[in-house]
Short mmCIF file of all heavy atoms in Angstrom, two decimals:
data_model
loop_
_atom_site.label_atom_id
_atom_site.label_comp_id
_atom_site.label_asym_id
_atom_site.label_seq_id
_atom_site.Cartn_x
_atom_site.Cartn_y
_atom_site.Cartn_z
N VAL A 21 -96.19 -135.70 -15.38
CA VAL A 21 -96.99 -136.52 -16.29
C VAL A 21 -96.70 -136.02 -17.69
O VAL A 21 -97.02 -134.89 -18.04
CB VAL A 21 -98.50 -136.41 -15.98
CG1 VAL A 21 -99.28 -137.38 -16.87
CG2 VAL A 21 -98.77 -136.71 -14.51
N ARG A 22 -96.08 -136.87 -18.50
CA ARG A 22 -95.60 -136.46 -19.82
C ARG A 22 -96.56 -136.87 -20.93
O ARG A 22 -97.32 -137.84 -20.79
CB ARG A 22 -94.22 -137.06 -20.06
CG ARG A 22 -93.15 -136.50 -19.14
CD ARG A 22 -91.78 -137.13 -19.37
NE ARG A 22 -90.75 -136.43 -18.61
CZ ARG A 22 -90.50 -136.64 -17.32
NH1 ARG A 22 -91.21 -137.54 -16.65
NH2 ARG A 22 -89.55 -135.96 -16.70
N PRO A 23 -96.49 -136.16 -22.05
CA PRO A 23 -97.34 -136.50 -23.20
C PRO A 23 -96.86 -137.75 -23.91
O PRO A 23 -95.73 -138.21 -23.72
CB PRO A 23 -97.20 -135.27 -24.10
CG PRO A 23 -95.86 -134.69 -23.76
CD PRO A 23 -95.67 -134.96 -22.29
N GLY A 24 -97.75 -138.31 -24.74
CA GLY A 24 -97.38 -139.44 -25.57
C GLY A 24 -97.49 -140.79 -24.92
O GLY A 24 -97.06 -141.80 -25.50
N MET A 25 -98.03 -140.86 -23.71
CA MET A 25 -98.20 -142.13 -23.02
C MET A 25 -99.40 -142.05 -22.09
O MET A 25 -99.83 -140.96 -21.71
CB MET A 25 -96.94 -142.49 -22.23
CG MET A 25 -96.63 -141.54 -21.09
SD MET A 25 -95.14 -142.02 -20.16
CE MET A 25 -93.88 -141.55 -21.34
N VAL A 26 -99.93 -143.20 -21.73
CA VAL A 26 -101.00 -143.25 -20.72
C VAL A 26 -100.32 -143.43 -19.36
O VAL A 26 -99.60 -144.41 -19.14
CB VAL A 26 -101.97 -144.42 -20.98
CG1 VAL A 26 -103.02 -144.48 -19.87
CG2 VAL A 26 -102.63 -144.27 -22.34
N THR A 27 -100.53 -142.47 -18.47
CA THR A 27 -99.96 -142.55 -17.13
C THR A 27 -101.05 -142.94 -16.15
O THR A 27 -102.05 -142.24 -16.01
CB THR A 27 -99.35 -141.20 -16.71
OG1 THR A 27 -98.31 -140.85 -17.63
CG2 THR A 27 -98.77 -141.28 -15.30
N GLY A 28 -100.86 -144.07 -15.50
CA GLY A 28 -101.82 -144.54 -14.50
C GLY A 28 -101.52 -143.92 -13.14
O GLY A 28 -100.35 -143.76 -12.77
N PHE A 29 -102.57 -143.59 -12.42
CA PHE A 29 -102.45 -142.98 -11.10
C PHE A 29 -103.10 -143.94 -10.10
O PHE A 29 -104.31 -144.09 -10.08
CB PHE A 29 -103.16 -141.63 -11.11
CG PHE A 29 -102.87 -140.75 -9.91
CD1 PHE A 29 -101.66 -140.79 -9.26
CD2 PHE A 29 -103.83 -139.86 -9.46
CE1 PHE A 29 -101.38 -139.97 -8.17
CE2 PHE A 29 -103.58 -139.02 -8.38
CZ PHE A 29 -102.36 -139.09 -7.74
N LEU A 30 -102.26 -144.61 -9.29
CA LEU A 30 -102.74 -145.67 -8.42
C LEU A 30 -102.49 -145.34 -6.95
O LEU A 30 -101.57 -144.61 -6.61
CB LEU A 30 -102.03 -146.99 -8.74
CG LEU A 30 -102.08 -147.50 -10.18
CD1 LEU A 30 -101.33 -148.83 -10.28
CD2 LEU A 30 -103.51 -147.65 -10.64
N GLY A 31 -103.29 -145.95 -6.11
CA GLY A 31 -103.11 -145.82 -4.67
C GLY A 31 -104.31 -146.40 -3.96
O GLY A 31 -105.42 -146.45 -4.51
N PRO A 32 -104.14 -146.85 -2.71
CA PRO A 32 -105.27 -147.37 -1.94
C PRO A 32 -106.30 -146.26 -1.68
O PRO A 32 -106.04 -145.07 -1.91
CB PRO A 32 -104.62 -147.82 -0.62
CG PRO A 32 -103.15 -147.88 -0.89
CD PRO A 32 -102.88 -146.87 -1.96
N ASN A 33 -107.47 -146.65 -1.18
CA ASN A 33 -108.46 -145.65 -0.77
C ASN A 33 -107.86 -144.72 0.27
O ASN A 33 -107.16 -145.16 1.18
CB ASN A 33 -109.69 -146.34 -0.17
CG ASN A 33 -110.54 -147.02 -1.22
OD1 ASN A 33 -110.50 -146.66 -2.38
ND2 ASN A 33 -111.30 -148.02 -0.81
N GLY A 34 -108.11 -143.43 0.10
CA GLY A 34 -107.60 -142.46 1.05
C GLY A 34 -106.16 -142.07 0.80
O GLY A 34 -105.54 -141.38 1.61
N ALA A 35 -105.60 -142.48 -0.36
CA ALA A 35 -104.19 -142.20 -0.64
C ALA A 35 -103.94 -140.77 -1.10
O ALA A 35 -102.81 -140.31 -1.12
CB ALA A 35 -103.67 -143.16 -1.71
N GLY A 36 -105.01 -140.06 -1.50
CA GLY A 36 -104.86 -138.68 -1.96
C GLY A 36 -104.99 -138.50 -3.46
O GLY A 36 -104.69 -137.41 -3.98
N LYS A 37 -105.45 -139.52 -4.17
CA LYS A 37 -105.55 -139.42 -5.64
C LYS A 37 -106.55 -138.36 -6.07
O LYS A 37 -106.24 -137.50 -6.90
CB LYS A 37 -105.93 -140.79 -6.22
CG LYS A 37 -104.96 -141.90 -5.92
CD LYS A 37 -105.30 -143.15 -6.68
CE LYS A 37 -106.71 -143.66 -6.45
NZ LYS A 37 -106.96 -144.01 -5.02
N SER A 38 -107.77 -138.43 -5.55
CA SER A 38 -108.80 -137.48 -5.96
C SER A 38 -108.42 -136.06 -5.55
O SER A 38 -108.65 -135.10 -6.32
CB SER A 38 -110.16 -137.86 -5.34
OG SER A 38 -110.60 -139.09 -5.86
N THR A 39 -107.84 -135.91 -4.38
CA THR A 39 -107.40 -134.58 -3.94
C THR A 39 -106.34 -134.03 -4.89
O THR A 39 -106.37 -132.85 -5.27
CB THR A 39 -106.84 -134.64 -2.51
OG1 THR A 39 -107.84 -135.11 -1.62
CG2 THR A 39 -106.36 -133.26 -2.06
N THR A 40 -105.40 -134.88 -5.29
CA THR A 40 -104.36 -134.44 -6.22
C THR A 40 -104.96 -133.99 -7.54
O THR A 40 -104.56 -132.96 -8.11
CB THR A 40 -103.36 -135.58 -6.46
OG1 THR A 40 -102.76 -135.96 -5.22
CG2 THR A 40 -102.27 -135.16 -7.43
N MET A 41 -105.94 -134.73 -8.04
CA MET A 41 -106.58 -134.34 -9.30
C MET A 41 -107.31 -133.01 -9.16
O MET A 41 -107.29 -132.17 -10.06
CB MET A 41 -107.53 -135.44 -9.77
CG MET A 41 -106.80 -136.67 -10.33
SD MET A 41 -107.95 -137.85 -11.08
CE MET A 41 -106.89 -138.60 -12.32
N ARG A 42 -107.95 -132.81 -8.03
CA ARG A 42 -108.64 -131.54 -7.79
C ARG A 42 -107.62 -130.38 -7.71
O ARG A 42 -107.90 -129.27 -8.19
CB ARG A 42 -109.46 -131.61 -6.51
CG ARG A 42 -110.69 -132.51 -6.62
CD ARG A 42 -111.48 -132.53 -5.31
NE ARG A 42 -111.95 -131.20 -4.95
CZ ARG A 42 -113.06 -130.62 -5.42
NH1 ARG A 42 -113.81 -131.25 -6.30
NH2 ARG A 42 -113.41 -129.41 -5.02
N LEU A 43 -106.48 -130.64 -7.14
CA LEU A 43 -105.44 -129.61 -7.06
C LEU A 43 -104.91 -129.27 -8.46
O LEU A 43 -104.66 -128.10 -8.77
CB LEU A 43 -104.29 -130.09 -6.17
CG LEU A 43 -104.59 -130.21 -4.68
CD1 LEU A 43 -103.46 -130.92 -3.97
CD2 LEU A 43 -104.82 -128.83 -4.06
N ILE A 44 -104.75 -130.28 -9.31
CA ILE A 44 -104.30 -130.04 -10.68
C ILE A 44 -105.28 -129.14 -11.41
O ILE A 44 -104.89 -128.21 -12.13
CB ILE A 44 -104.13 -131.37 -11.44
CG1 ILE A 44 -102.99 -132.19 -10.83
CG2 ILE A 44 -103.86 -131.12 -12.93
CD1 ILE A 44 -102.93 -133.62 -11.35
N LEU A 45 -106.58 -129.38 -11.21
CA LEU A 45 -107.61 -128.64 -11.92
C LEU A 45 -107.93 -127.28 -11.28
O LEU A 45 -108.76 -126.54 -11.81
CB LEU A 45 -108.89 -129.48 -11.99
CG LEU A 45 -108.79 -130.73 -12.86
CD1 LEU A 45 -110.02 -131.62 -12.67
CD2 LEU A 45 -108.65 -130.34 -14.32
N GLY A 46 -107.30 -127.00 -10.14
CA GLY A 46 -107.56 -125.73 -9.48
C GLY A 46 -108.85 -125.70 -8.70
O GLY A 46 -109.32 -124.62 -8.30
N LEU A 47 -109.45 -126.86 -8.47
CA LEU A 47 -110.69 -126.93 -7.69
C LEU A 47 -110.41 -126.79 -6.20
O LEU A 47 -111.29 -126.45 -5.42
CB LEU A 47 -111.42 -128.24 -7.98
CG LEU A 47 -111.83 -128.44 -9.44
CD1 LEU A 47 -112.44 -129.83 -9.64
CD2 LEU A 47 -112.83 -127.36 -9.88
N ASP A 48 -109.20 -127.11 -5.79
CA ASP A 48 -108.71 -126.87 -4.43
C ASP A 48 -107.37 -126.15 -4.53
O ASP A 48 -106.67 -126.28 -5.54
CB ASP A 48 -108.51 -128.19 -3.67
CG ASP A 48 -109.83 -128.78 -3.18
OD1 ASP A 48 -110.79 -128.02 -2.99
OD2 ASP A 48 -109.89 -130.01 -3.00
N ARG A 49 -107.03 -125.41 -3.50
CA ARG A 49 -105.74 -124.73 -3.47
C ARG A 49 -104.77 -125.53 -2.60
O ARG A 49 -105.14 -125.99 -1.52
CB ARG A 49 -105.89 -123.32 -2.89
CG ARG A 49 -106.67 -122.36 -3.78
CD ARG A 49 -106.71 -120.98 -3.15
NE ARG A 49 -107.49 -120.04 -3.94
CZ ARG A 49 -107.01 -119.31 -4.94
NH1 ARG A 49 -105.73 -119.43 -5.27
NH2 ARG A 49 -107.79 -118.47 -5.61
N PRO A 50 -103.54 -125.68 -3.05
CA PRO A 50 -102.57 -126.40 -2.23
C PRO A 50 -102.20 -125.64 -0.97
O PRO A 50 -102.18 -124.41 -0.97
CB PRO A 50 -101.36 -126.56 -3.16
CG PRO A 50 -101.49 -125.45 -4.16
CD PRO A 50 -102.96 -125.24 -4.33
N THR A 51 -101.91 -126.38 0.09
CA THR A 51 -101.40 -125.78 1.32
C THR A 51 -99.96 -125.32 1.11
O THR A 51 -99.52 -124.30 1.65
CB THR A 51 -101.47 -126.79 2.47
OG1 THR A 51 -102.82 -127.26 2.60
CG2 THR A 51 -101.03 -126.16 3.79
N ALA A 52 -99.23 -126.09 0.30
CA ALA A 52 -97.85 -125.74 -0.03
C ALA A 52 -97.51 -126.39 -1.36
O ALA A 52 -98.17 -127.31 -1.81
CB ALA A 52 -96.89 -126.23 1.06
N GLY A 53 -96.44 -125.87 -2.00
CA GLY A 53 -96.02 -126.43 -3.27
C GLY A 53 -96.87 -125.93 -4.43
O GLY A 53 -97.77 -125.11 -4.27
N THR A 54 -96.58 -126.47 -5.61
CA THR A 54 -97.28 -126.06 -6.82
C THR A 54 -97.60 -127.25 -7.70
O THR A 54 -96.95 -128.30 -7.62
CB THR A 54 -96.43 -125.07 -7.65
OG1 THR A 54 -95.20 -125.72 -8.04
CG2 THR A 54 -96.12 -123.81 -6.86
N VAL A 55 -98.60 -127.08 -8.55
CA VAL A 55 -98.86 -128.04 -9.61
C VAL A 55 -99.28 -127.23 -10.83
O VAL A 55 -100.15 -126.37 -10.76
CB VAL A 55 -99.93 -129.08 -9.22
CG1 VAL A 55 -101.27 -128.44 -8.89
CG2 VAL A 55 -100.09 -130.13 -10.32
N THR A 56 -98.62 -127.48 -11.95
CA THR A 56 -98.86 -126.70 -13.16
C THR A 56 -99.19 -127.60 -14.34
O THR A 56 -98.83 -128.78 -14.39
CB THR A 56 -97.62 -125.86 -13.53
OG1 THR A 56 -96.48 -126.74 -13.71
CG2 THR A 56 -97.30 -124.85 -12.43
N VAL A 57 -99.90 -127.01 -15.30
CA VAL A 57 -100.20 -127.66 -16.57
C VAL A 57 -99.56 -126.81 -17.65
O VAL A 57 -99.91 -125.63 -17.80
CB VAL A 57 -101.71 -127.78 -16.81
CG1 VAL A 57 -101.98 -128.43 -18.17
CG2 VAL A 57 -102.38 -128.58 -15.70
#
C-alpha cells in the first residue's frame, strides 16, 4: 500500500479484510509471513 493515493481494500464477507487490518496494526500475530509499516 503506497503513499499518495487512496487504496481501497475490497472483498466479500469473510474474505479476511478485518483480520488483515488487525495483523497490520499488531493486534493479532501472523501464523506465517510478515506485514510491516
Side-chain angles (χ1 to χ4, degrees):
V21 185
R22 294 179 172 81
M25 65 179 74
V26 178
T27 299
F29 192 31
L30 305 181
N33 287 336
K37 300 188 303 299
S38 294
T39 300
T40 300
M41 286 188 151
R42 289 181 60 83
L43 290 170
I44 294 169
L45 293 170
L47 299 175
D48 283 335
R49 292 183 183 272
T51 304
T54 61
V55 60
T56 58
V57 178

